[in-house]
Amino acid sequence: MNDFISKHGVRIYSVLAALVPALLLVWPTIPWEALVAASAGLLGVGVAAAAHEDTKTAAALTGPQKDPNWG
């Protein structure tokens, strides 16, 4: 499961971020405090996901280079 989250963390984050506005359609009486808390949490997760992607990119750039003809 951790490997799946590591590989697809940004996609999972995108789905969660897209669901927050949809909550207003499903539950129009949802308290604004809950939306603010969810938005703040998503901002924190977004920063963590971006940092994780940056470390993967840095590792790929500094690691051994693959031959582009062999995939």
Side-chain angles (χ1 to χ4, degrees):
M1 183 69 170
N2 286 339
D3 189 42
F4 178 81
I5 292 173
S6 177
K7 288 182 181 178
H8 303 289
V10 175
R11 290 184 180 138
I12 294 168
Y13 166 75
S14 299
V15 169
L16 291 175
L19 287 176
V20 170
L23 289 175
L24 291 174
L25 295 174
V26 176
W27 294 292
T29 60
I30 193 165
W32 67 270
E33 295 92 351
L35 288 176
V36 170
S39 298
L42 282 172
L43 285 173
V45 171
V47 169
H52 181 70
E53 289 297 317
D54 289 346
T55 57
K56 290 191 328 187
T57 302
L61 290 174
T62 59
Q65 301 295 318
K66 294 197 302 190
D67 185 2
N69 296 325
W70 290 96

